[in-house]
Amino acid sequence: MKRIILISEGKIFLTPRQSFPLSITTFPVGSLSLKSEKHQYWEVDSTNDNGELTFIVQNYTPTDLSNFDKQSIKGVIGSISFKDLNWQEFERLLGSYTLSSIRPFLDQATINSTHINAGNSRQERHESNFFIAPERIEILQAREEFFEEEFQVSYEETRFRNGYVEFLWKFKWALNSFTVKIENPNIREEFEVIKDYFAKAINNKKKYSVKLKAKLIGFDVVEYTATSEDLEKINANLIESIRVTTTKRLFSEHKEKSSNKKVLSVEEIFENLDEYPNVFNQSDVDIFSILAEAYGLRNKLPLEYLSGQVHSTKLKVKFTLKPMFGFLFFIEGDNRDFFCWELLNSNATYLWMIPKNTVDFMQAEVEGEISAIHELGREQYRKLVKETPPKYMKFFFIDHRGIKNEDEGFVEWKRRLVEIVNYPKLVPQTGEAGPLPMSRADSCLNSPPSF
């Protein structure tokens, strides 16, 4: 099992709030001590044998530390053991050690004899790049220095947070890696899963530029400022353009994706099509507005009327991907209720009339009818439903191929929809667009189905 551990303050942290002293390790007592001022994350493979943990370090400089914040400890920890430690990496954390005592825990190939004093006696070690003679410690600890750097950071090693991004970085002039934050009030943590979109929109590269100014006192970074001209481009306009882009993919990619469910909620449709959640918290109205503007829908007026005026808030609008992208509305009539299916850029409105107060039961039945349309095709379904009407329901079909504006077609479509919703006071109609003849299903409409 992989996990992140932290060596800090002379202790071993398995979670941000739970640490263990050296005495719990299997290192011989008194064989080593850790520098309290040193801090280092390790990625390890861990095994747990009844509370006896064994760690093998896989990465001594991990960049993704997100799992560390989520880790937890279950059960009692009796001991911690390390195997095959890289001596060059481990030595940096040690204040003192007796090499002969800890050698069994090391990867022998990493031990450089030139670093071992005769007799393997106890010795003080420091970072080779920051060797500090004892007589100069006080001077260096009070030393004040300033550094400036420009560098590139990959989006992959960057984490999006609320109001900023952050990444772990190691600078040559600092003893330890530290987390750099770049503020931007437009950034939200939900954008983490779609940060590739920002990368493409900003510079179409995998990395962004960073400028950093830092102040050190001794060996500690006491303050810094970090900016990025690339990340400054993440503003309201860019976010809106990405919101539109991701929403348009619902329509453009649905033929390439599949789902066992034919009728989906807003959340399900995003997960099914793009494998990321609805990070912009878009409603059905938002999705419709974007698609209508992007594709100039021929049935824009019916969709606006259905979504804005007649859809009941008792149910959320649902979506279909196949046979075409469409919306499933719920309409409450005086005597009956209706499910209304309107497809994008289609010439027809489909309605299923159900008994009042049966929506919980009949929703699944209507979704089954849509699945049948998916299997049979729309024309074949309309023929079949005339011969064998669905149980407990009545099916209606309205053709609106002539709708262009308020004067051409829409008024007539709206009149016919209202007539059907006000059933049984129906005005007779002709052709396929008219209501179906009374069928054996009508007798079921006088009372709710038994369950």
Side-chain angles (χ1 to χ4, degrees), residues 98-335:
T98 301
L99 184 59
S100 59
S101 298
I102 63 175
R103 184 185 287 271
F105 304 91
L106 308 176
D107 179 355
Q108 302 304 307
T110 64
I111 301 177
N112 187 339
S113 60
T114 61
H115 291 281
I116 306 172
N117 289 343
N120 295 331
S121 61
R122 189 180 303 274
Q123 50 201 287
E124 294 292 329
R125 308 292 297 181
H126 298 276
E127 282 275 345
S128 58
N129 291 336
F130 293 92
F131 180 79
I132 307 173
E135 62 271 16
R136 296 196 60 208
I137 289 180
E138 292 185 4
I139 296 174
L140 293 178
Q141 285 179 340
R143 179 183 57 183
E144 186 176 286
E145 293 183 286
F146 296 88
F147 294 90
E148 293 187 20
E149 281 208 30
E150 294 186 22
F151 52 98
Q152 300 279 316
V153 181
S154 70
Y155 289 91
E156 183 178 356
E157 58 191 327
T158 303
R159 288 179 286 177
F160 279 53
R161 303 300 194 191
N162 289 323
Y164 65 93
V165 302
E166 66 178 13
F167 55 89
L168 187 70
W169 206 255
K170 179 70 174 72
F171 298 93
K172 294 180 179 179
W173 36 263
L175 267 177
N176 303 299
S177 302
F178 68 94
T179 299
V180 178
K181 295 183 179 180
I182 301 177
E183 295 184 354
N184 182 332
N186 296 302
I187 292 174
R188 303 203 321 253
E189 62 183 7
E190 295 94 327
F191 296 164
E192 173 71 20
V193 292
I194 58 168
K195 57 187 178 184
D196 286 347
Y197 281 96
F198 290 97
K200 293 176 182 178
I202 291 171
N203 56 15
N204 201 27
K205 296 180 179 179
K206 295 182 179 180
K207 294 185 177 183
Y208 59 92
S209 62
V210 176
K211 293 181 179 179
L212 182 136
K213 297 180 180 180
K215 176 182 177 180
L216 275 71
I217 295 181
F219 303 104
D220 297 320
V221 178
V222 294
E223 62 181 65
Y224 72 90
T225 58
T227 59
S228 170
E229 292 182 359
D230 290 330
L231 295 184
E232 287 175 2
K233 297 176 183 177
I234 300 179
N235 53 30
N237 290 334
L238 181 65
I239 291 172
E240 176 61 18
S241 71
I242 292 176
R243 186 177 78 95
V244 171
T245 298
T246 55
T247 304
K248 287 169 66 177
R249 291 185 67 178
L250 298 178
F251 185 73
S252 62
E253 292 190 2
H254 74 272
K255 293 181 180 179
E256 301 175 8
K257 306 287 183 175
S258 62
S259 171
N260 292 328
K261 296 184 65 176
K262 298 301 184 292
V263 182
L264 308 170
S265 66
V266 172
E267 294 76 18
E268 289 171 335
I269 196 173
F270 272 92
E271 292 173 357
N272 177 66
L273 294 181
D274 232 1
E275 298 179 355
Y276 63 78
N278 181 9
V279 297
F280 295 104
N281 294 319
Q282 296 186 77
S283 67
D284 54 281
V285 176
D286 296 329
I287 294 173
F288 160 69
S289 298
I290 290 173
L291 295 179
E293 184 172 346
Y295 297 104
L297 305 178
R298 68 168 64 97
N299 57 335
K300 178 181 178 181
L301 292 176
L303 279 166
E304 286 180 341
Y305 179 74
L306 289 168
S307 63
Q309 297 191 44
V310 299
H311 173 67
S312 171
T313 57
K314 284 186 177 180
L315 290 181
K316 292 183 178 180
V317 174
K318 288 196 171 185
F319 301 84
T320 60
L321 304 182
K322 295 180 178 181
M324 293 180 66
F325 191 99
F327 297 78
L328 184 63
F329 302 98
F330 176 62
I331 303 172
E332 291 187 280
D334 292 336
N335 303 306

Side-chain angles (χ1 to χ4, degrees), residues 25-66:
T25 70
T26 56
F27 293 118
V29 176
S31 61
L32 59 84
S33 66
L34 294 171
K35 293 178 180 178
S36 61
E37 73 275 13
K38 284 291 189 177
H39 310 280
Q40 183 62 51
Y41 289 93
W42 288 348
E43 184 182 34
V44 301
D45 272 340
S46 67
T47 57
N48 187 342
D49 185 8
N50 295 323
E52 296 179 2
L53 298 183
T54 300
F55 294 151
I56 299 177
V57 183
Q58 299 297 318
N59 189 349
Y60 289 88
T61 57
T63 56
D64 184 2
L65 307 177
S66 57

Side-chain angles (χ1 to χ4, degrees), residues 57-113:
V57 183
Q58 299 297 318
N59 189 349
Y60 289 88
T61 57
T63 56
D64 184 2
L65 307 177
S66 57
N67 286 337
F68 184 70
D69 297 335
K70 305 172 186 177
Q71 290 175 174
S72 61
I73 298 176
K74 297 180 180 179
V76 177
I77 305 300
S79 67
I80 297 176
S81 178
F82 291 88
K83 292 178 61 177
D84 299 328
L85 285 167
N86 184 301
W87 173 238
Q88 306 302 323
E89 297 289 343
F90 187 43
E91 186 186 26
R92 297 176 183 178
L93 302 176
L94 301 181
S96 64
Y97 59 85
T98 301
L99 184 59
S100 59
S101 298
I102 63 175
R103 184 185 287 271
F105 304 91
L106 308 176
D107 179 355
Q108 302 304 307
T110 64
I111 301 177
N112 187 339
S113 60

Side-chain angles (χ1 to χ4, degrees), residues 423-443:
Y423 179 90
K425 299 177 181 179
L426 291 170
V427 176
Q429 302 175 52
T430 60
E432 186 183 19
L436 298 175
M438 296 295 284
S439 68
R440 61 184 174 83
D442 295 330
S443 61

